[in-house]
Amino acid sequence: MNKCRFQNRHPRASEDPVPNSDSRFRGNDKKGSVLLVSLWATATLAAIGISQAARVSLELKWASRLQEQRQAWFLAWAGLQVESMRLASDLPDFDAMSEAWAAPTQEPIPFEQGTFLFSASDEQSKIPLNAAPPDVLAGLPGLTPDAVNQILARRTDPAGPKPIAHLGELPLWGVDSNSLSELESVATVYGRGQVNLYTASEKVLSLLGLT
């Protein structure tokens, strides 16, 4: 008697697995995470690069400005030395605008990597705030009554005279910027109390009642 044996030719599920959709999603998630980290790292490096470039640019500007300041200082020092030599030969009896020290330079003078111009003025050609009479102070342009009283009070302070050290103190007593600019052309905190009539301007002479 013949026996027939049948075998199932269909493979088991474990031999040919059906692709799992969850595994595909997990793979895509990993790729997305890697891309996100790469973009974040690139952005961070770019930000650091931009920050360093800006810092270097700022430091270069500072260095350039410092160099310009040093050059300007030396140019000013050179002009002061030249004028000092001119003043050394000045006669001590009196000063006049016809003397050599009063002549401004006409052409720029080269020095190192730059040039300079200079001129000198006689502070005694202006009215001395710390010594002028009250009526002269009252007639100065832009000088308020409060400022006049403060200047006079400082001369008779019980602790000792307290002269005005700088015209920049005057705005504390109501002198505005426009008046201060005009005042600088006719008044000074320097000088020995007398006005040099040889170098004084017509406006100063007018304020003194001499014209």
CSV table of all heavy atoms in Angstrom, one decimal, residues 119 127 147 150 165-166 175:
chain,number,residue,atom,x,y,z
A,119,SER,N,49.9,128.3,16.3
A,119,SER,CA,49.9,129.7,16.5
A,119,SER,C,49.9,130.0,18.0
A,119,SER,O,49.6,129.1,18.8
A,119,SER,CB,48.7,130.3,15.8
A,119,SER,OG,47.5,129.8,16.4
A,127,ILE,N,40.6,140.0,29.2
A,127,ILE,CA,40.3,140.6,30.5
A,127,ILE,C,40.3,139.4,31.5
A,127,ILE,O,39.7,138.4,31.4
A,127,ILE,CB,38.8,141.2,30.5
A,127,ILE,CG1,38.8,142.3,29.5
A,127,ILE,CG2,38.4,141.6,31.9
A,127,ILE,CD1,37.4,142.9,29.2
A,147,ALA,N,26.9,134.8,38.2
A,147,ALA,CA,28.3,134.5,37.9
A,147,ALA,C,29.2,135.6,38.4
A,147,ALA,O,30.3,135.4,39.0
A,147,ALA,CB,28.5,134.3,36.4
A,150,GLN,N,29.5,135.4,42.2
A,150,GLN,CA,30.3,134.2,42.6
A,150,GLN,C,31.8,134.5,42.4
A,150,GLN,O,32.6,134.1,43.3
A,150,GLN,CB,29.9,133.0,41.7
A,150,GLN,CG,28.5,132.4,42.1
A,150,GLN,CD,28.5,131.7,43.4
A,150,GLN,OE1,29.5,131.4,44.0
A,150,GLN,NE2,27.3,131.5,43.9
A,165,ALA,N,39.5,128.6,38.1
A,165,ALA,CA,40.6,127.8,37.5
A,165,ALA,C,40.3,127.6,36.0
A,165,ALA,O,41.3,127.4,35.2
A,165,ALA,CB,40.7,126.5,38.2
A,166,HIS,N,39.1,127.6,35.5
A,166,HIS,CA,38.8,127.3,34.1
A,166,HIS,C,37.4,127.9,33.8
A,166,HIS,O,36.5,128.0,34.6
A,166,HIS,CB,38.7,125.8,33.9
A,166,HIS,CG,38.7,125.4,32.5
A,166,HIS,ND1,37.6,125.3,31.7
A,166,HIS,CD2,39.7,125.0,31.7
A,166,HIS,CE1,37.9,124.9,30.5
A,166,HIS,NE2,39.2,124.7,30.4
A,175,VAL,N,25.8,130.6,32.8
A,175,VAL,CA,26.3,131.0,31.5
A,175,VAL,C,26.1,129.9,30.5
A,175,VAL,O,26.6,128.8,30.7
A,175,VAL,CB,27.8,131.3,31.6
A,175,VAL,CG1,28.4,131.7,30.3
A,175,VAL,CG2,28.1,132.4,32.7
